[in-house]
Amino acid sequence: MTTPSPTADTGAELLPIATPARTRAALRTLIRPDRGLALTGIGILVAATAVGLLVQPLLGRIVDIVADGRPAGDLTLPVVLLVAVAVVQGLTTTLGLTRIARLGETVLARLRERFVERALNLPADRLERAGAGDLTARVTGDVARVAEAVRSALPEMARSVLAILLTLGALALLDVRFLLAALLAVPVQLLTARWYVRRALTLYADQRVANGAQQQQLLETIGGAVTVRGHRLEEQHTERSAGRSRKAVDLTMRSVNLVLGFYGRLHIAEYIGLAAVLIAGFWLVRDGAVSIGTATAAALYFHSLFGPVNAALVLLDDAQSAAAGLARLVGVTDLAEQPEPEAGKPAAGKPAAGKAAPASVPRQRIASPEAAVTVHAVSHAYGPGRPVLHEVSLTLEPGEHVALVGTSGAGKSTLARIVAGVQQPTSGTVTAPAGTGEHPVVLVTQEVHVFTGTLAEDLRLARPDATDADLRTALATVHALDWAEALPDGLATVVGEGGHRLDPARAQQLALARLVLADPALAVLDEATAEAGSAGARVLERSAEAALDGRTALVVAHRLTQAVAADRVVVLEAGRVVESGPHDELRDADGPYAALWRAWSGSRTAAPHP
């Protein structure tokens, strides 16, 4: 269960946050496979802490020997035992903390893998509504905060809690009145913890949301820097960034003040408890109920509690911050946990925000070996009152190349993503090819990513078992083999971040080569040649034509030369199909496509020759 998605001051509908109960359940699920490791680690720490509790009685014994004026030789055994206790406690503590740390790292790795897996399967429109900043803040700041808690807070918390419980038991063994005196500090500590927890969880959650909004603003400003400068909006965007930064700083300062108040209250509890134990010791020694050494051991026991108690309570700071981060991570994993649609059954995709899909028009994605693609009455909206597609119906026959054209905002990219299966429609059905390979449908967009690694590794993302010969064949198919082999180390050249830089045209050819290696039954190209610029446009169009040869294709055409080469052209206008047919027929029909063609060909004629 997750809480409703909060809305930052960016206007974005942020990804949901899991409830405390759901977060605890997810944590139990993550730990369950390593219960044996957890029990072993805790058992060793119990033994280490129990051994360490022998220090105070041994010191008390030394005090009694000195107070009674006994020979110096009587000190030998207690001193030797103190050394032995230190060695045994050090070894067992190291072993126990190592196992607890291993448990934490294993659980953290499992959490990261699950988060990345789920995040990659989030619906595209859901990510667009949330904005990149929210997801970026979760995958960086929240994961880092949880990781920090796992590496430092978890082992220390386990050791501190065990030390507190066993030390209180040792005080009771000395004399139950020492325990009662020590417990006078507990009400102040509990009230302090309650006061802190009630404020910290909300504060840290707000702080993470503010950090996400800040990152979103920075990403938008930096990503659109050219546009910002072109419209002279530098001052406005700087003020927006400063405002969101001020909000994040204000929340950080509030958390600092909260921690300072927390520490101050803990010092008061320490004073009350230690004073009570010393007074109890004075009265018990005076009455002859205990020796000076026993009273000394009791005082040392309580003093030894300062560290564990303070650590446990102070770790509430890390725990609350980590809990807020974990709830945000679990919120993402829960959001993406949607069953894959089975053939003939409605898909489990979520409807657009604030609007449920009509029960009479189920959303389906059906695998079919017959028709390549059938889109029936598909509608989509990114939010209430923001329809993008209106009952679009479209059929692609096996092997047919269909070009999708229209003005900006007509819904072309949305329809392409729905056909590719990366986005669920609000209503309607999509019948996609079953295919025989691992990738029956492949989408290549205008924005492609070159992953860090060798060129061969980048290509094998599409087909891990591909041989070098397969890679060269795919590159040759898209007319990229010559420049690939001309790289400093050929296919072994490191590309991506920190490696050999590929220009937009070559990066797009790399994506098309991946498409060839994946060998899908259906290929969807969403303006995949738009980044090349005029000089590389024809080269990329040839590459795309070669990559699509022999397979069904839906091409969102950035240049109408792609429409000319297609078997059929489909014209979208305001989310509706207004024309469909071959290029020549639509060009001569004097309809919307003819107007687009005249505008495009006219601009091409008027463009100066280089």
Side-chain angles (χ1 to χ4, degrees):
M1 180 178 179
T2 57
T3 59
S5 302
T7 302
D9 57 4
T10 59
E13 181 191 343
L14 302 184
L15 296 168
I17 299 174
T19 61
R22 175 62 195 131
T23 302
R24 290 191 294 270
L27 188 58
R28 288 194 296 269
T29 301
L30 290 169
I31 294 176
R32 188 173 295 121
D34 296 291
R35 284 176 295 182
L37 182 62
L39 293 175
T40 303
I42 292 173
I44 294 174
L45 284 180
V46 169
T49 305
V51 170
L53 292 177
L54 295 174
V55 171
Q56 288 83 357
L58 288 172
L59 290 174
R61 178 64 177 168
I62 292 173
V63 169
D64 282 338
I65 290 173
V66 173
D68 293 343
R70 298 179 190 177
D74 291 353
L75 295 174
T76 303
L77 181 59
V79 171
V80 171
L81 290 176
L82 281 174
V83 173
V85 166
V87 172
V88 173
Q89 185 185 24
L91 292 176
T92 51
T93 299
T94 300
L95 181 60
L97 291 179
T98 299
R99 298 187 75 83
I100 294 295
R102 183 181 301 169
L103 170 68
E105 291 294 338
T106 302
V107 171
L108 178 62
R110 193 173 292 128
L111 173 64
R112 280 174 167 161
E113 291 169 1
R114 183 169 299 182
F115 178 84
V116 171
E117 176 188 356
R118 302 301 187 193
L120 290 175
N121 288 311
L122 284 175
D125 57 334
R126 187 66 186 85
L127 282 178
E128 289 175 357
R129 293 200 305 272
D134 186 33
L135 187 62
T136 301
R138 297 188 191 218
V139 80
T140 54
D142 291 325
V143 170
R145 190 60 56 89
V146 173
E148 181 182 353
V150 165
R151 289 170 181 150
S152 59
L154 177 63
E156 187 63 30
M157 176 68 84
R159 185 171 63 171
S160 298
V161 170
L162 290 173
I164 292 168
L165 295 176
L166 294 179
T167 301
L168 292 176
L171 278 171
L173 288 176
L174 292 178
D175 192 295
V176 72
R177 286 167 287 190
F178 285 127
L179 175 61
L180 295 176
L183 292 179
L184 290 177
V186 173
V188 179
Q189 292 167 336
L190 291 179
L191 288 173
T192 298
R194 184 167 178 258
W195 171 83
Y196 176 77
V197 169
R198 292 177 64 181
R199 289 161 175 78
L201 188 57
T202 302
L203 178 59
Y204 283 121
D206 291 343
Q207 189 176 1
R208 301 309 305 157
V209 171
N211 288 339
Q214 179 189 30
Q215 289 195 30
Q216 177 67 27
Q217 181 61 47
L218 291 174
L219 288 172
E220 290 178 350
T221 300
I222 294 172
V226 175
T227 303
V228 170
R229 288 195 298 268
H231 290 276
R232 300 182 182 276
L233 297 174
E234 296 94 338
E235 184 175 345
Q236 180 180 348
H237 277 257
T238 299
E239 180 56 34
R240 286 182 183 175
S241 299
R244 285 169 187 151
S245 296
R246 283 193 296 270
K247 183 174 182 179
V249 170
D250 177 64
L251 288 170
T252 301
M253 293 309 300
R254 284 173 56 190
S255 68
V256 170
N257 291 330
L258 182 66
V259 170
L260 291 176
F262 179 62
Y263 277 113
R265 287 166 170 80
L266 288 184
H267 293 326
I268 295 173
E270 291 172 358
Y271 174 80
I272 293 172
L274 184 57
V277 170
L278 290 174
I279 293 172
F282 171 78
W283 286 106
L284 292 173
V285 171
R286 193 187 69 169
D287 294 342
V290 299
S291 67
I292 295 176
T294 301
T296 301
L300 290 173
Y301 269 137
F302 187 81
H303 188 273
S304 71
L305 283 175
F306 286 6
V309 169
N310 287 349
L313 293 177
V314 167
L315 286 174
L316 285 173
D317 182 64
D318 292 335
Q320 294 302 312
S321 180
L326 182 61
R328 284 160 56 82
L329 298 177
V330 173
V332 173
T333 62
D334 283 355
L335 180 66
E337 284 181 343
Q338 301 172 15
E340 292 295 327
E342 299 178 11
K345 293 185 178 182
K350 299 178 77 67
K355 181 178 180 181
S360 59
V361 188
R363 291 162 291 132
Q364 297 179 332
R365 185 168 184 81
I366 305 168
S368 170
E370 300 174 358
V373 178
T374 300
V375 178
H376 177 68
V378 162
S379 297
H380 189 71
Y382 288 106
R386 296 172 55 196
V388 178
L389 298 176
H390 304 271
E391 297 191 350
V392 173
S393 294
L394 175 67
T395 299
L396 279 73
E397 298 299 332
E400 184 182 24
H401 290 188
V402 173
L404 202 58
V405 303
T407 57
S408 179
K412 305 185 297 298
S413 293
T414 299
L415 180 58
R417 290 199 296 263
I418 289 173
V419 170
V422 300
Q423 188 165 315
Q424 292 289 343
T426 303
S427 62
T429 60
V430 178
T431 301
T436 57
E438 184 180 352
H439 307 285
V441 182
V442 168
L443 170 68
V444 179
T445 65
Q446 177 179 347
E447 298 176 357
V448 299
H449 186 72
V450 179
F451 294 88
T452 300
T454 66
L455 182 64
E457 291 171 340
D458 212 302
L459 288 166
R460 286 195 176 97
L461 290 171
R463 205 173 94 202
D465 61 348
T467 64
D468 285 351
D470 294 331
L471 303 185
R472 289 188 172 86
T473 299
L475 289 168
T477 300
V478 298
H479 311 292
L481 184 59
D482 289 343
W483 64 256
E485 292 187 330
L487 294 174
D489 297 311
L491 295 181
T493 302
V494 175
V495 295
E497 188 71 25
H500 187 89
R501 181 181 176 277
L502 299 182
D503 61 39
R506 290 183 175 182
Q508 197 65 258
Q509 284 182 307
L510 180 61
L512 292 171
R514 291 196 204 113
L515 184 151
V516 173
L517 287 167
D519 193 23
L522 170 65
V524 180
L525 270 57
D526 185 4
E527 297 190 352
T529 64
E531 288 290 329
S534 299
R538 184 53 192 157
V539 173
L540 266 189
E541 287 176 7
R542 288 177 56 237
S543 298
E545 289 172 7
L548 298 180
D549 186 41
R551 66 183 95 251
T552 308
L554 178 66
V555 179
V556 177
H558 175 70
R559 294 176 175 83
L560 292 190
T561 50
Q562 296 171 292
V564 175
D567 299 316
R568 182 159 52 98
V569 179
V570 173
V571 183
L572 277 184
E573 193 172 281
R576 292 181 171 84
V577 175
V578 293
E579 276 189 311
S580 177
H583 161 75
D584 292 338
E585 179 182 314
L586 296 183
R587 182 193 58 191
D588 298 336
D590 200 26
Y593 180 77
L596 288 173
W597 176 259
R598 284 194 298 270
W600 184 82
S601 57
S603 66
R604 299 285 293 174
T605 302
H609 291 285

